[in-house]
Amino acid sequence: MRDLTLPSFRSSLPGTVLVLLASGFTASAQNPLAIPPTVSGTEIDLELATGTVPFLPGAATQTMGVNGPLLGPTIILQQDQQVTLNVTNHLGEPTTIHWHGMHVPPEADGGPHIVIDPDATWSPSFTVLEQASTHWYHPHLHMHTNAHVIKGIAGLIIVRDPVEAALTLPRTYGVDDLPLVLQTKQFDAGNQVVVGGALDTHVMVNGTLDPYVDVPAQMVRLRLLNGATERVFNLGFTGNQPFYQIGSDGGLLSAPVTLTRLRLAPGERAELLVDLGALQGQSIELVSFGSELPAAIYGAAQPGMGMGQTIPNYTSNPLNGNDFTFLRLDVGAPTADPITTVPATLVTLNPWPEASADATRSFTFTPVNMGPTAIQGPFLINGAPYDMMTINFDVPLDNIEVWQLTNQSPIAHPFHVHDVQFYILDINGAAPPPNMQGRKDVVLVPAGMGTVRFITRFEDFASEEVPYMYHCHMLTHEDAGMMGQFRVIDPSQGVEEGIAGNGLVVAPNPAVNQLRITLDPALGLGTLTVTDLAGRAVLVHKEVAGPLRLDVGTLPSGGYLLTFRSVKGTATSRFVVGRE
Ligand code: C2O
Ligand code: CU
Ligand code: CU
C-alpha cells in the first residue's frame, strides 16, 4: 500500500462546514477550489492508492484516490483516438474501474466482473467513439462501489471532437471551463468517512469543503457531476441568475436550454454556461435548492411517498429539505479573449424513432420490505437481486430497444445502463423537458408507479463472456443488489467457446413452420433455447444434439435468438419467423 497526503488542503472553520441559506446564516466560503490535474495521450497511467486528507480539524481522514490521495485526474480524450489506460491497484484490496457513460467493449468497461487484484495493473484499450461529452470513472466492485467511491475514487472524463471545437464555447480548462464534482460525505467523530450513513452533512466540490473559485467576468462553462452516494441536487444560483444547459450525460444538446434550476441525480452530468459578464467584482453561489425538491426524492424534506416512509437519521440531517451552497464564484477581470455569447444551436441529434424498435423490455423496481421501512431497501429489479452468476437477458447486437421502467417503490431511483446512450421517450407518459431530450445514461424514475421509457441501440460490441450492467445509481441501492446484467450477442457470429467457426446454422431463414438446425457435432448433447427479442425463453429442448428440426409454427412472426448450450460450449444464431 502506498500512502499519499495532500498538503494543499486547508481545513474548514471548526463547526461550520454547512452553509444553510434557509436558516438565514451563511458561513463564508474559504477554501480555494481544487481543480483536478488533467491527463491525456494514448497511454494513461492511473494509480489507485490510499491516502489521507485533513478535511476537518483533528485527525486526518483516510481516503482513496487516483494519482493522489483524493479523487482523480480529469482524463482528456479526443474522439476516434486509441487509448490504453493502465490502472494499477495499490489500495490493498480488490476493486474495478468503470468508464461511466462511455461506449466501450464489455471487457474494457470495468464492471464487477473485471476485478483488479491488489498490486495488479489492468490495461484496457479502446477507440474513443464518443461525441464531445463529460463522463466519469469510478470503482464498480460488487457490494463495495459506495465504499470506494465515497472514500474518494472518482474522476471526470472530457471527450473533445471537431463539432464541439467549431462552436464558440469556453474550453480553457480551469479558467472558463470548470470541472465540478459535487459530493456530500458523512464523517464520524474521529473524522473518518462513514459508508452508507444518512448524515452526509459535509458538502464538497472536487473534494474541497466550503470552496470558492476565481472566475473571469464572461461566459463560463461548468461541467457538473453528481458524484454523491444517494442525494439528488436541485442546482441554481443565488439571485436566480439564469444559466444555459448545453450538455447532458452523453454530450451536447441540440440547442442551449435556459434554466434557473437543474435537477441532477447521482451519476448524472450536465454542462452549463453561465454569463458572469456583468458581475465583475461580485460573487454568486452555486446552491442546491433542496427546499424545492418534491417529496419522494432523496434530499427532499420527505424522502418517500407519504409521511410513514422513514430513513434512520434522515430528518436530523440539515441538508434534507434545505438549501445549501456548493461553491462561491468570485468574479474578477475577464480574460484577454473572452467568450461572451451563447451559441444559438449546438449539435444535430438523431434519436431513433419509436417505430424502429426491435423489442421492448420491462424493468420493475420493488422494495424487498413492505410498510414504512420499504424506503430503506433493499430494492429489486424485476423481482430479483443482482447475482453475478446470472445473465438476466441477452440483447442481439444492433437491436434497437425500448426500455420501460416502472418504479413500484416509495422513492425515486436514478436508473443507469452501461454501453449505450439513450433518448428518453417519456416520463410518466409525458415528453421529457428540452434539457432531457439529449443523450442520457442516467434517468431519475419517479416514485409511486412512476414510469420512464427510453430508446437506445446496442451497437458495435458483443461478448459471450462479459456482461454489461444496469442498475440504480444510488450506490447503497446498487451495492444491496438493485442491479442486473445483460450480454450483447452477435447472432451472425455463431458464438463459440473452444469450438472453431460457427457452431450453429439455421435454414430456411425466415422460417414459416419448420427450422432446420445444423450443429457442430463437437458440441455433443445440450439444451436448445429459443428466446424472443424481449428476452423471454419461448421454446426449450433439453438433451438434444444436432442436426435438428424445430417446429416454429406456434411462434408469432418476428425475430428470435437460438442458443445451444452444452458442457462443450455454446453456439447462437438469430432467425426470423415470417408469415403472411
Ligand atoms: Cu456509474 Cu454502473 O456505473
Ligand atoms: Cu456506467
Ligand atoms: Cu435506487
Side-chain angles (χ1 to χ4, degrees):
M1 270 206 253
R2 206 158 301 182
D3 252 45
L4 294 161
T5 299
L6 191 63
S8 63
F9 266 77
R10 287 196 279 144
S11 25
S12 57
L13 268 188
T16 49
V17 284
L18 167 68
V19 184
L20 272 182
L21 301 179
S23 65
F25 95 96
T26 47
S28 56
Q30 43 162 2
N31 297 308
L33 177 73
I35 300 289
T38 60
V39 288
S40 58
T42 54
E43 286 267 339
I44 292 172
D45 295 333
L46 300 175
E47 195 153 326
L48 315 182
T50 56
T52 57
V53 175
F55 277 113
L56 301 172
T61 303
Q62 306 292 315
T63 57
M64 291 180 172
V66 187
N67 299 355
L70 188 68
L71 298 175
T74 298
I75 301 173
I76 312 255
L77 298 172
Q78 303 290 333
Q79 186 182 55
D80 292 334
Q81 80 162 89
Q82 186 71 29
V83 66
T84 302
L85 296 133
N86 302 305
V87 187
T88 302
N89 177 6
H90 288 299
L91 295 175
E93 56 184 287
T95 193
T96 87
I97 291 289
H98 165 57
W99 322 104
H100 176 131
M102 294 194 69
H103 179 50
V104 297
E107 302 79 12
D109 187 52
H113 295 269
I114 311 295
V115 174
I116 316 170
D117 284 323
D119 295 317
T121 298
W122 174 59
S123 297
S125 255
F126 51 83
T127 305
V128 177
L129 299 176
E130 320 307 308
Q131 312 183 1
S133 47
T134 306
H135 300 296
W136 65 303
Y137 59 97
H138 63 78
H140 216 304
L141 188 69
H142 183 38
M143 302 196 292
H144 300 277
T145 296
N146 186 32
H148 292 176
V149 173
I150 205 64
K151 286 180 183 170
I153 303 189
L156 289 180
I157 302 170
I158 294 176
V159 179
R160 303 195 184 284
D161 74 9
V163 174
E164 189 268 351
L167 292 165
T168 305
L169 287 172
R171 60 175 69 80
T172 308
Y173 183 83
V175 177
D176 63 2
D177 183 350
L178 301 179
L180 301 178
V181 178
L182 309 179
Q183 293 178 308
T184 57
K185 291 189 209 297
Q186 175 177 355
F187 295 121
D188 67 15
N191 292 347
Q192 301 311 305
V193 174
V194 176
V195 178
L199 292 171
D200 56 331
T201 57
H202 296 269
V203 176
M204 56 188 74
V205 183
N206 299 343
T208 310
L209 291 166
D210 294 336
Y212 70 86
V213 64
D214 293 320
V215 285
Q218 62 201 54
M219 203 64 74
V220 168
R221 181 178 188 168
L222 306 177
R223 297 177 189 260
L224 304 173
L225 162 68
N226 182 336
T229 295
E230 296 170 314
R231 184 169 297 282
V232 175
F233 303 132
N234 185 40
L235 301 166
F237 294 95
T238 43
N240 285 331
Q241 161 97 16
F243 55 90
Y244 309 90
Q245 186 172 354
I246 57 167
S248 55
D249 300 330
L252 296 174
L253 299 171
S254 56
V257 179
T258 308
L259 299 170
T260 55
R261 294 288 185 273
L262 171 67
R263 192 179 293 173
L264 206 64
E268 284 187 301
R269 288 87 66 211
E271 292 186 32
L272 310 182
L273 294 180
V274 54
D275 187 357
L276 304 175
L279 295 177
Q280 189 170 340
Q282 300 176 40
S283 297
I284 61 167
E285 292 180 355
L286 175 67
V287 172
S288 178
F289 292 92
S291 65
E292 299 168 6
L293 279 175
I297 289 179
Y298 200 106
Q302 247 190 64
M305 307 273 300
M307 296 295 291
Q309 292 292 334
T310 54
I311 294 173
N313 288 325
Y314 188 88
T315 48
S316 44
N317 184 333
L319 295 192
N320 294 322
N322 277 311
D323 303 342
F324 56 88
T325 296
F326 270 109
L327 175 67
R328 191 184 77 215
L329 298 104
D330 293 343
V331 185
T335 60
D337 196 9
I339 306 290
T340 56
T341 53
V342 178
T345 61
L346 296 164
V347 296
T348 305
L349 297 174
N350 294 303
W352 301 276
E354 195 181 334
S356 67
D358 298 299
T360 296
R361 257 175 240 281
S362 296
F363 301 82
T364 302
F365 312 157
T366 51
V368 167
N369 305 306
M370 293 298 154
T373 59
I375 195 173
Q376 294 170 26
F379 299 94
L380 307 174
I381 301 178
N382 289 344
Y386 177 64
D387 173 4
M388 277 192 84
M389 302 307 288
T390 301
I391 301 294
N392 296 92
F393 53 88
D394 286 334
V395 173
L397 181 66
D398 290 331
N399 241 33
I400 299 176
E401 302 201 347
V402 172
W403 284 22
Q404 176 170 315
L405 316 171
T406 306
N407 182 359
Q408 299 182 356
S409 87
I411 188 167
H413 300 276
F415 182 88
H416 169 54
V417 56
H418 291 210
D419 181 31
V420 295
Q421 293 290 324
F422 54 76
Y423 290 97
I424 298 172
L425 292 169
D426 44 53
I427 301 174
N428 285 345
N435 67 315
M436 292 175 74
Q437 290 177 11
R439 291 155 59 83
K440 294 282 296 163
D441 58 56
V442 179
V443 60
L444 190 65
V445 186
M449 296 307 290
T451 60
V452 169
R453 293 189 318 136
F454 64 72
I455 189 164
T456 188
R457 183 168 200 181
F458 297 85
E459 299 168 296
D460 303 310
F461 308 117
S463 167
E464 265 273 293
E465 306 297 323
V466 185
Y468 290 110
M469 302 293 129
Y470 55 92
H471 56 89
C472 176
H473 221 291
M474 289 167 85
L475 301 179
T476 47
H477 295 183
E478 173 191 336
D479 280 341
M482 194 176 178
M483 179 155 72
Q485 56 191 0
F486 64 98
R487 295 183 305 185
V488 179
I489 298 290
D490 182 353
S492 69
Q493 214 45 46
V495 190
E496 78 283 343
E497 281 168 24
I499 289 165
N502 192 334
L504 198 162
V505 179
V506 295
N509 193 7
V512 178
N513 288 314
Q514 222 182 36
L515 192 68
R516 293 192 305 280
I517 301 166
T518 314
L519 277 165
D520 186 329
L523 285 166
L525 267 185
T527 301
L528 188 73
T529 308
V530 175
T531 320
D532 69 13
L533 293 182
R536 285 180 292 260
V538 290
L539 289 177
V540 180
H541 294 280
K542 290 189 177 160
E543 300 209 32
V544 293
L548 285 163
R549 280 170 191 274
L550 188 67
D551 183 8
V552 295
T554 57
L555 297 179
S557 296
Y560 294 88
L561 195 68
L562 189 64
T563 308
F564 182 83
R565 270 198 188 81
S566 75
V567 290
K568 305 277 176 52
T570 303
T572 71
S573 178
R574 182 148 60 171
F575 71 94
V576 170
V577 173
R579 267 177 233 106
E580 288 310 306

